[in-house]
Amino acid sequence: MMTNTHQKPPTSLKRRFMNVVCAILTGGAITGITVTGISATAWGQSAETTYRPVIKQVIEKAILPGYENLVEVAAQQGNDIEKLCLSPNETNLEHARDSFRSLVSAWSRVEMYRIGPAIKGNRQEKLVFWPDRKSIGLRQVRKLIDTQDKTAITTETLQKKSVAVQGILALEYVLFGKNSDALSTATPKSYRCEYGATIAQTIGATAKSIVNDWSSPSGYATQMLNPSSTSPIYRSDAEVMQDLLRISSEMIQSTRDLKIKNTIKDSPAKSKPKRAPFWRSNLTLHAYQNNLKAVEALFTVGGLGKLTPRYTKSLSFELEQTNKFLAKLEKENSPWEEQVKQKEAHELLTFTLIPLEGAQYIVSELIPQELGLSLGFNSLDGD
């Protein structure tokens, strides 16, 4: 992963914002760095606390529906590309590109679940190979298109190739990369189009494998709901909760540090917009918003917030503030690589780092502390 930079928003803005956050979290009372207003069971899990119903709700209402949606959206993407392949024209190309927006949304809603089935067999990387620091993946995709490698236009053989050539970013290049407009005027069943359709099918197959590994009788959901001292994965419900909080924290941290901060740098002149995912399709901001909506949904729809309702309200406030800024920029409909270079947009992106910092503090420190949990290892540490 990319090395975190340490860009800081304007101190006065940060101070004002954090004062508001602290007031919300503490009910208006702050003493030193101690958060006041903690419930009677804070700083430790009470004997009556049970995590099992919440874990079940997270799986059934957030995780599984997210991946099932990805399977469905990938299928629709494949259908739309097949129509383009059979009948190349501007309308069908537009429909295929519109479907890609839905695919990015669906992926961004499950990106955070980097556990169990998603990391088995490099499935996470097969779905999205990012960051591609030295454009190794991009070069592999271009080579397939240039050489018209026939082994890349069947799902079975594409799945055996590099993770970089079978995922959503590879499909982005097919639909939005150099010479992609020619898809509307190409001969029927052109190689580039058939390759794109195969990628969509492969994405669906990978997502379906994740769903199956979650929901099978002895699958990951069963292991989450039946921890034991002899389990190699989870020994207690508390360990499951720690994992869910950890991936939430990492999604926020990744959005802030790797996706935004590492891209915008200290100034518009120093920014590196092409380090961000989905810049070719101009869906970078759209993806970020869905990443953060997924975190919030884990606490609301998924039910994690039942355990700490006050902090969940504060978390929603932070994430919604961030998404308001991102939505405002997305509404401008400017190319991402140009937008990041603009002074006003750069300032607004810099400001998003403040509520994101507050959101991560809530998830990684305050909520675990109130529940008597410790998040432990962070997979982004040292990136």
Side-chain angles (χ1 to χ4, degrees):
M1 304 297 285
M2 295 181 178
T3 302
N4 294 342
T5 56
H6 297 284
Q7 174 182 341
K8 295 182 179 180
T11 303
S12 59
L13 291 176
K14 182 174 181 179
R15 184 181 299 115
R16 289 203 301 271
F17 194 92
M18 293 307 292
N19 284 343
V20 171
V21 173
C22 288
I24 292 172
L25 292 176
T26 65
I30 306 174
T31 304
I33 60 172
T34 302
V35 179
T36 62
I38 301 299
S39 65
T41 58
W43 320 116
Q45 180 183 350
S46 70
E48 292 76 26
T49 299
T50 174
Y51 297 136
R52 195 74 55 89
V54 172
I55 296 168
K56 188 173 187 291
Q57 183 173 336
V58 164
I59 295 168
E60 295 179 350
K61 300 295 184 181
I63 298 176
L64 276 175
Y67 279 114
E68 288 166 349
N69 181 57
L70 180 58
V71 172
E72 293 176 4
V73 172
Q76 184 60 54
Q77 174 78 89
N79 291 338
D80 287 338
I81 297 177
E82 284 289 358
K83 290 178 183 177
L84 173 64
C85 295
L86 293 173
S87 181
N89 57 59
E90 290 185 4
T91 299
N92 284 341
L93 176 57
E94 184 178 351
H95 287 164
R97 286 173 168 174
D98 287 344
S99 288
F100 188 76
R101 179 182 177 89
S102 298
L103 184 64
V104 170
S105 299
W107 156 251
S108 300
R109 291 297 187 107
V110 298
E111 181 181 353
M112 67 187 293
Y113 302 122
R114 191 186 289 268
I115 54 175
I119 59 176
K120 179 182 177 181
N122 296 317
R123 287 171 177 161
Q124 188 89 356
E125 290 73 24
K126 286 180 177 180
L127 288 171
V128 170
F129 180 69
W130 183 88
D132 184 7
R133 293 185 183 88
K134 297 181 179 180
S135 298
I136 294 172
L138 175 61
R139 289 199 296 271
Q140 291 176 352
V141 171
R142 285 175 172 170
K143 183 177 180 181
L144 289 179
I145 295 173
D146 290 343
T147 61
Q148 299 197 5
D149 184 343
K150 298 298 183 182
T151 62
I153 56 174
T154 63
T155 303
E156 183 180 359
T157 50
L158 182 59
Q159 286 179 314
K160 297 176 182 178
K161 291 186 177 294
S162 162
V163 296
V165 302
Q166 59 181 284
I168 298 174
L169 287 176
L171 182 56
E172 181 189 37
Y173 184 81
V174 169
L175 293 174
F176 297 91
K178 186 178 179 181
N179 298 324
S180 60
D181 287 344
L183 286 167
S184 66
T185 58
T187 57
K189 296 187 177 182
S190 67
Y191 178 85
R192 182 170 187 148
C193 194
E194 289 289 285
Y195 172 44
T198 306
I199 295 174
Q201 294 163 8
T202 303
I203 291 167
T206 301
K208 183 63 176 175
S209 295
I210 293 175
V211 171
N212 291 341
D213 279 2
W214 268 100
S215 57
S216 67
S218 58
Y220 205 74
T222 298
Q223 295 180 61
M224 265 191 162
L225 291 169
N226 296 278
S228 71
S229 59
T230 59
S231 170
I233 303 175
Y234 298 113
R235 294 172 296 177
S236 66
D237 290 341
E239 287 191 357
V240 178
M241 288 297 300
Q242 287 169 183
D243 228 11
L244 293 173
L245 290 173
R246 177 185 60 79
I247 61 174
S248 303
S249 174
E250 289 179 1
M251 186 73 264
I252 298 169
Q253 182 182 351
S254 174
T255 303
R256 186 191 70 212
D257 294 348
L258 302 179
K259 296 182 177 181
I260 298 179
K261 189 187 293 187
N262 193 55
T263 299
I264 66 175
K265 297 296 184 180
D266 295 324
S267 68
K270 294 180 180 179
S271 65
K272 305 289 184 182
K274 292 183 179 181
R275 285 184 175 179
F278 305 118
W279 65 268
R280 285 187 177 85
S281 55
N282 207 32
L283 292 172
T284 298
L285 294 167
H286 182 70
Y288 295 173
Q289 290 172 75
N290 279 282
N291 284 155
L292 300 179
K293 287 176 183 177
V295 174
E296 185 174 9
L298 192 64
F299 283 81
T300 54
V301 178
L304 273 185
K306 293 177 181 179
L307 301 172
T308 55
R310 183 162 55 90
Y311 287 143
T312 298
K313 181 178 179 180
S314 301
L315 175 64
S316 293
F317 171 79
E318 303 280 34
L319 297 175
E320 288 167 5
Q321 288 301 305
T322 304
N323 271 347
K324 284 180 182 178
F325 301 145
L326 297 177
K328 180 179 179 180
L329 290 172
E330 185 183 20
K331 192 175 181 180
E332 294 177 3
N333 201 30
S334 298
W336 168 256
E337 63 268 34
E338 295 176 11
Q339 197 170 35
V340 177
K341 298 288 184 180
Q342 297 168 0
K343 181 175 182 294
E344 295 78 8
H346 190 277
E347 288 178 348
L348 195 54
L349 285 166
T350 301
F351 197 73
T352 66
L353 303 178
I354 302 170
L356 284 174
E357 182 178 356
Q360 192 190 3
Y361 180 66
I362 293 168
V363 174
S364 65
E365 299 291 339
L366 297 182
I367 291 177
Q369 191 174 46
E370 178 147 345
L371 296 176
L373 303 173
S374 175
L375 298 196
F377 174 73
N378 182 329
S379 67
L380 299 181
D381 286 347
D383 289 348

